[in-house]
Amino acid sequence: MKSTHTTASRELEVGGEPIVEELTATFTDAVARLYRRLRAERGGDQMGESQRSVLKVLVGEGPRTLRELSEHEHVKPPSMNQTVNSLEEAGLLARTSDPSDGRKVIIAATAEGVTLIEETRRRRNEWLSLQLDSLSAEERRTLEAASKIIVRITNS
Amino acid sequence: MKSTHTTASRELEVGGEPIVEELTATFTDAVARLYRRLRAERGGDQMGESQRSVLKVLVGEGPRTLRELSEHEHVKPPSMNQTVNSLEEAGLLARTSDPSDGRKVIIAATAEGVTLIEETRRRRNEWLSLQLDSLSAEERRTLEAASKIIVRITNS
DNA sequence: GTACACTAATTAGGTAACCTAACTGAATTG
DNA sequence: CAATTCAGTTAGGTTACCTAATTAGTGTAC
């Protein structure tokens, strides 16, 4: 530790009230670090986070069009097209054209896709499970509450 | 909503105690979504999250070797080399060889790099700041506590 | 009923951030 | 002093995003 400190030692809160600017920086860093770590630690199935997220939507909420998926994941249609392509190649979803509107393409999980999501659900992210397991019950409740807040934020 | 529901409606906890397996899935999804959203929403400076994270370490904790940086960020040396290259090209850090060990390269932030980190610190991630601003003080405390837990987890 | 605009999906080409494998040169060890 | 190890780098590949441009179906206006 040199004397070049400029950020690490600043106050994060005043009287128990986190300062939004500080929280933004801290929170961004924490989330970015964890995301990279999750990507690095993921084992077993060779699906990426994006692919898995899309398949999970299809399995959990039923068929969707490309545009619907791209909006749900906050991604542009061509990006979602690529993700869908790779899942299609892997046989985890199938495209059928909408009979009532020839422009639309209905994207649905195949039986294989459903099976894969269900099977890998509990086995994935062993590293994170280990970490969470080592936390106190209160810390887990904190993360659970935070997860709910995060999902709410990202959907707004 | 079809009857194809398989995951969305499962219990997340029992008597206030989150189940680790469920929390792993929920938390992973939340973090992945937020990370993608942050990447999509980031404006202004054209530095990526990885680059900024490295520069922040150099500014806040002083010079490091390539290996040290790669270990700190949980990334392989060639990946870190690329990140360092782009920061070097932008004039935000400089390399000097270690006088006591010719194999090592000391990487340090330039004055420009220090300035940039300090200046952009508060202006970045406007979108997230807005979201955090709209939360209650208690929700912010939850996220702050979660951030600390996340940082601890990722460093272990 | 043909022309025009709008929309959905896709293709092409580019970028950022990771990876593995293979190489260079410096330091250490038998 | 030869062999090994170690730090950094180069080359080439992958995933997941982007913008711009294209194809094709739909609906509307004359």
Side-chain angles (χ1 to χ4, degrees):
Chain A
M1 292 278 201
K2 298 277 271 301
S3 57
T4 35
H5 265 270
T6 58
T7 61
S9 54
R10 278 197 193 134
E11 279 305 316
L12 189 61
E13 54 192 271
V14 175
E17 291 281 327
I19 299 163
V20 169
E21 290 159 341
E22 301 293 339
L23 181 55
T24 302
T26 311
F27 190 43
T28 300
D29 279 0
V31 167
R33 287 180 67 86
L34 181 55
Y35 179 85
R36 276 183 256 136
R37 190 71 188 256
L38 280 174
R39 181 168 51 188
E41 300 280 351
R42 77 164 172 248
D45 62 75
Q46 49 270 41
M47 242 192 318
E49 281 310 319
S50 302
Q51 291 178 35
R52 182 167 185 274
S53 181
V54 168
L55 192 53
K56 204 187 146 194
V57 169
L58 294 176
V59 169
E61 299 176 24
R64 291 285 186 277
T65 66
L66 189 85
R67 176 152 297 272
E68 285 167 347
L69 286 176
S70 78
E71 275 164 9
H72 187 269
E73 302 291 314
H74 293 285
V75 145
K76 303 296 177 196
S79 307
M80 184 51 63
N81 191 48
Q82 254 184 256
T83 304
V84 166
N85 281 345
S86 61
L87 287 169
E88 191 181 27
E89 270 172 42
L92 301 172
L93 59 76
R95 288 186 231 233
T96 52
S97 63
D98 188 331
S100 73
D101 185 341
R103 297 167 301 178
K104 291 187 183 171
V105 172
I106 310 290
I107 298 162
T110 60
E112 262 184 85
V114 173
T115 306
L116 193 142
I117 283 293
E118 288 177 347
E119 278 184 354
T120 61
R121 184 176 165 68
R122 281 154 199 288
R123 265 182 267 149
R124 275 183 55 97
N125 291 133
E126 252 181 80
W127 169 80
L128 182 58
S129 290
L130 272 173
Q131 304 305 315
L132 296 182
D133 213 43
S134 74
L135 298 177
S136 70
E138 200 198 323
E139 286 171 327
R140 280 197 290 269
R141 275 192 294 273
T142 298
L143 292 184
E144 193 211 340
S147 298
K148 285 177 180 166
I149 298 170
I150 291 171
V151 169
R152 185 150 45 84
I153 285 174
T154 57
N155 285 334
S156 68
Chain B
M1 292 275 201
K2 297 277 273 305
S3 57
T4 34
H5 264 271
T6 59
T7 62
S9 54
R10 281 198 190 133
E11 280 303 318
L12 191 61
E13 54 190 88
V14 176
E17 291 281 326
I19 299 164
V20 169
E21 290 159 342
E22 302 293 341
L23 180 56
T24 301
T26 310
F27 190 42
T28 300
D29 279 0
V31 167
R33 286 179 68 86
L34 180 55
Y35 178 84
R36 275 182 256 136
R37 191 72 188 254
L38 280 174
R39 182 167 50 190
E41 300 280 351
R42 76 163 173 249
D45 62 74
Q46 49 270 41
M47 240 192 320
E49 283 308 321
S50 302
Q51 290 177 36
R52 181 166 186 275
S53 181
V54 168
L55 192 53
K56 204 186 145 196
V57 169
L58 294 176
V59 169
E61 300 176 22
R64 292 285 185 277
T65 66
L66 189 84
R67 176 151 299 271
E68 284 167 347
L69 286 175
S70 77
E71 274 163 10
H72 187 268
E73 302 292 312
H74 293 285
V75 146
K76 302 295 176 195
S79 307
M80 183 51 64
N81 191 46
Q82 253 182 256
T83 304
V84 167
N85 281 344
S86 61
L87 287 169
E88 191 181 26
E89 270 172 44
L92 301 173
L93 59 76
R95 288 186 230 233
T96 52
S97 62
D98 188 331
S100 74
D101 186 341
R103 295 169 304 179
K104 292 187 181 170
V105 174
I106 310 288
I107 297 161
T110 60
E112 264 184 83
V114 174
T115 306
L116 193 143
I117 283 293
E118 288 177 348
E119 278 184 355
T120 61
R121 183 174 167 68
R122 280 154 199 291
R123 266 182 266 149
R124 276 183 54 98
N125 289 134
E126 254 181 80
W127 169 80
L128 182 58
S129 290
L130 272 173
Q131 304 306 314
L132 296 182
D133 213 42
S134 74
L135 298 178
S136 70
E138 198 198 324
E139 286 171 327
R140 281 197 289 269
R141 274 193 295 274
T142 297
L143 292 184
E144 194 211 341
S147 299
K148 284 177 180 166
I149 298 170
I150 291 170
V151 168
R152 186 149 47 82
I153 285 174
T154 57
N155 284 334
S156 67

